[in-house]
Amino acid sequence: MKNKIASLTLILTLLLALALPSLAVEIPGYEGGINNENNYKEVIFITGEPIELEGTLDIKISEKNRKGVQTKTYTYKYDLHNVKLGATLRRNITLSETFETNGNQTTSQKTLDKYSETFRINGKTYQVQTDDYQWNQGQVLHQTGLLEYYAGDWSARKTYKVGNRRAPTEEVTVQTIGNLVGYDSPWSATQTQTLHYIIEFENKLEENDSWEGTATVEASYNKTKDYNYIENIPNQISFHGGFMLTEKHENVLKYSYNLPRLQGSGRNIGQDSMTIDTNPIITRLNIPALRDVRGLEAEKDILLIASMDGFSLTATNLGPHTAVSRGDFARALANTMDIELPEEETTTSRTRRSRRNKEEETPLRYIDVPKSHRNYPYIEGVSNRGIMIGVGKGRFEPDRELTKAEATTILIRLLGFQNLAPIGNYSTGFADDSSIPAWAKDHVYIAKELNIIPRDEYFYPNKPITKEETATLLVNFINYLQEQLKYDYRENILN
């Protein structure tokens, strides 16, 4: 079992790292199941009552690129049981997915290639083969540079047969309409699936022996990376405390049903749920050397950002009331949002490069950001994703002060929410609303609504943002990703 789960974890980890769009984090399985490191759970209704199953799920994923067409092949192998009821289920599935990318959007289509399922309970065997199952799913993903949002729909019809497949004694047909919605970010990820089933049973040997039922399954996967400051108990220690990151994976499956009451009259109507969580992953962050932030209102915010190397880990003086440059903001963003940075040159690669003709060398993206600039890798990282771009004429102006309006605009653009602002003439509610540049107004409005920026009387949009204000802004942004966004995608749907 451990080998199966290990391969599932490894494959899903690799999937997230691939350049090919993965349509974000997926609930394990092709529909309606939840799992952790050691176990997988789902519920089925084909006998006329809900039956919870658990066991192992092995997933293998391969990808190809032929003549510019990107495809993935998914193979699922289930081995499930319900010990109390003496039920077992074995299922093997092969799906294919093709992708089409248009700018920052990717659409995909999944189809069923091969299928087999055998379910045994009370001496009866239900079987499904490829010809008995019609299934397809379509998804769309939108990338903002930092986040991925996605949604999908699918439809299916599966026929279980009892006895001889060509002349079964009983048939159970399950029609499914499903949808999913989710997002993936550096600090949280959520996907929620909703499946609606219509189940029809027919006894081929008796004319009046048939029934119909319905069921709904909602499965939600959530990943959250949280931070906590841990105080050290001993006084005689070189540091007072430090930050700890904890990554948690939570899974919830809720189901409701309206089925026949097989013994007696009336209907069997009810609901239930299952949960399964993973063991938290704990990471201790480095201890910053900063000494000039003690007693500040934003001290913990500054230390958190510095612990992730958003500000220098080794500097003793930050200058919290000094302005942040564009390059330093790029560094803070890259290191707090896990933005991929260009690989550093090794001695060997530099030697090889020195042998090339200068015309073959890759030109600099910005003429004012040489590779020797302290923030070069961070500027490259945010530029590669379109998070921050140049100011024109091949320049980035890495040492120019960043304004509060510019910093706020960058973060809201990362969320992709600027189009949610009102249309036409409106006020942000700040007393200096008229001073907010037109290109920043929608972003400032949304940031205030989401509590990413303070609801003070004045915003001072054209004032350079200080390092202290930068820390608070980024921590507010992290908190939004951790809590508010997750709540909208999970609790509002499940409840």
Side-chain angles (χ1 to χ4, degrees), residues 67-134:
K67 297 181 179 180
V69 178
Q70 298 172 322
T71 62
K72 280 186 180 178
T73 301
Y74 303 79
T75 302
Y76 301 88
K77 185 176 181 179
Y78 297 75
D79 188 356
L80 311 178
H81 58 268
N82 183 310
V83 175
K84 184 177 180 180
L85 297 177
T88 62
L89 184 148
R90 287 180 172 81
R91 182 190 295 139
N92 293 283
I93 310 166
T94 303
L95 302 174
S96 292
E97 183 174 25
T98 57
F99 298 85
E100 182 177 337
T101 299
N102 183 8
N104 58 3
Q105 296 186 40
T106 298
T107 56
S108 78
Q109 185 74 29
K110 280 184 180 177
T111 55
L112 181 71
D113 294 339
K114 192 175 180 180
Y115 189 91
S116 66
E117 180 178 342
T118 301
F119 176 64
R120 291 186 172 91
I121 187 171
N122 297 329
K124 186 179 292 188
T125 300
Y126 299 78
Q127 290 185 312
V128 183
Q129 297 297 326
T130 304
D131 293 342
D132 304 320
Y133 195 18
Q134 296 77 47

Side-chain angles (χ1 to χ4, degrees), residues 406-427:
E406 289 172 328
T408 303
T409 296
I410 290 168
L411 295 187
I412 299 304
R413 194 167 59 225
L414 288 180
L415 291 175
F417 289 172
Q418 58 270 26
N419 293 329
L420 300 181
I423 298 174
N425 294 324
Y426 68 90
S427 173

Side-chain angles (χ1 to χ4, degrees), residues 34-329:
I34 56 176
N35 85 320
N36 64 8
E37 304 94 335
N38 302 309
N39 204 11
Y40 169 86
K41 294 182 179 182
E42 68 172 61
V43 59
I44 63 173
F45 307 89
I46 62 174
T47 64
E49 61 179 0
I51 298 176
E52 295 183 1
L53 299 165
E54 61 181 308
T56 61
L57 167 61
D58 185 35
I59 302 177
K60 294 181 180 178
I61 303 171
S62 61
E63 64 172 281
K64 296 179 182 179
N65 192 325
R66 291 182 178 177
K67 297 181 179 180
V69 178
Q70 298 172 322
T71 62
K72 280 186 180 178
T73 301
Y74 303 79
T75 302
Y76 301 88
K77 185 176 181 179
Y78 297 75
D79 188 356
L80 311 178
H81 58 268
N82 183 310
V83 175
K84 184 177 180 180
L85 297 177
T88 62
L89 184 148
R90 287 180 172 81
R91 182 190 295 139
N92 293 283
I93 310 166
T94 303
L95 302 174
S96 292
E97 183 174 25
T98 57
F99 298 85
E100 182 177 337
T101 299
N102 183 8
N104 58 3
Q105 296 186 40
T106 298
T107 56
S108 78
Q109 185 74 29
K110 280 184 180 177
T111 55
L112 181 71
D113 294 339
K114 192 175 180 180
Y115 189 91
S116 66
E117 180 178 342
T118 301
F119 176 64
R120 291 186 172 91
I121 187 171
N122 297 329
K124 186 179 292 188
T125 300
Y126 299 78
Q127 290 185 312
V128 183
Q129 297 297 326
T130 304
D131 293 342
D132 304 320
Y133 195 18
Q134 296 77 47
W135 184 96
N136 71 88
Q137 180 189 82
Q139 292 190 54
V140 60
L141 174 144
H142 177 249
Q143 296 173 309
T144 69
L146 184 67
L147 282 83
E148 293 180 344
Y149 300 97
Y150 57 96
D153 303 273
W154 68 89
S155 64
R157 183 175 65 247
K158 182 194 300 187
T159 303
Y160 291 86
K161 297 181 179 181
V162 178
N164 189 301
R165 287 193 66 250
R166 294 185 178 180
T169 58
E170 298 178 5
E171 282 188 355
V172 180
T173 301
V174 181
Q175 298 188 55
T176 307
I177 296 294
N179 60 73
L180 63 88
V181 64
Y183 74 92
D184 196 4
S185 84
W187 287 87
S188 66
T190 295
Q191 182 188 126
T192 300
Q193 293 183 355
T194 303
L195 299 98
H196 301 286
Y197 299 107
I198 299 176
I199 307 114
E200 298 175 317
F201 166 83
E202 181 182 5
N203 188 329
K204 297 290 185 178
L205 301 180
E206 299 183 21
E207 290 186 5
N208 297 321
D209 187 6
S210 64
W211 55 262
E212 181 177 302
T214 60
T216 297
V217 171
E218 296 171 305
S220 179
Y221 161 88
N222 179 70
K223 177 190 74 176
T224 302
K225 187 164 62 175
D226 203 0
Y227 62 86
N228 288 287
Y229 186 81
I230 309 298
E231 295 275 2
N232 288 327
I233 297 176
N235 293 320
Q236 299 181 44
I237 189 171
S238 61
F239 58 96
H240 297 291
F243 281 95
M244 177 179 73
L245 295 183
T246 304
E247 184 175 311
K248 300 177 182 178
H249 296 241
E250 302 169 321
N251 302 272
V252 178
L253 189 152
K254 293 185 176 182
Y255 61 90
S256 59
Y257 51 90
N258 185 335
L259 299 167
R261 194 175 299 280
L262 301 181
Q263 302 295 328
S265 60
R267 303 289 292 178
N268 180 17
I269 300 174
Q271 60 184 10
D272 210 335
S273 64
M274 299 184 285
T275 62
I276 190 168
D277 299 333
T278 63
N279 188 52
I281 300 171
I282 295 175
T283 304
R284 284 300 295 255
L285 298 181
N286 290 304
I287 309 299
L290 295 176
R291 301 174 61 183
D292 64 343
V293 300
R294 293 174 187 170
L296 294 178
E297 184 178 352
E299 177 184 355
K300 289 290 177 65
D301 292 345
I302 294 171
L303 292 177
L304 174 61
I305 301 304
S307 295
M308 293 183 281
D309 204 23
F311 299 139
S312 173
L313 272 168
T314 58
T316 56
N317 293 305
L318 175 68
H321 302 304
T322 61
V324 164
S325 69
R326 284 170 51 82
D328 287 341
F329 193 79

Side-chain angles (χ1 to χ4, degrees), residues 381-426:
V382 298
S383 296
N384 285 338
R385 292 199 183 188
I387 295 171
M388 293 180 70
I389 57 177
V391 297
K393 297 183 180 180
R395 306 180 70 85
F396 187 82
E397 296 186 357
D399 301 316
R400 176 171 71 77
E401 295 175 344
L402 190 74
T403 68
K404 295 179 69 174
E406 289 172 328
T408 303
T409 296
I410 290 168
L411 295 187
I412 299 304
R413 194 167 59 225
L414 288 180
L415 291 175
F417 289 172
Q418 58 270 26
N419 293 329
L420 300 181
I423 298 174
N425 294 324
Y426 68 90

Side-chain angles (χ1 to χ4, degrees), residues 192 220 222 250 252 486-494:
T192 300
S220 179
N222 179 70
E250 302 169 321
V252 178
K486 176 185 72 175
Y487 188 90
D488 191 26
Y489 275 77
R490 180 176 176 174
E491 304 303 329
N492 283 350
I493 295 175
L494 291 182

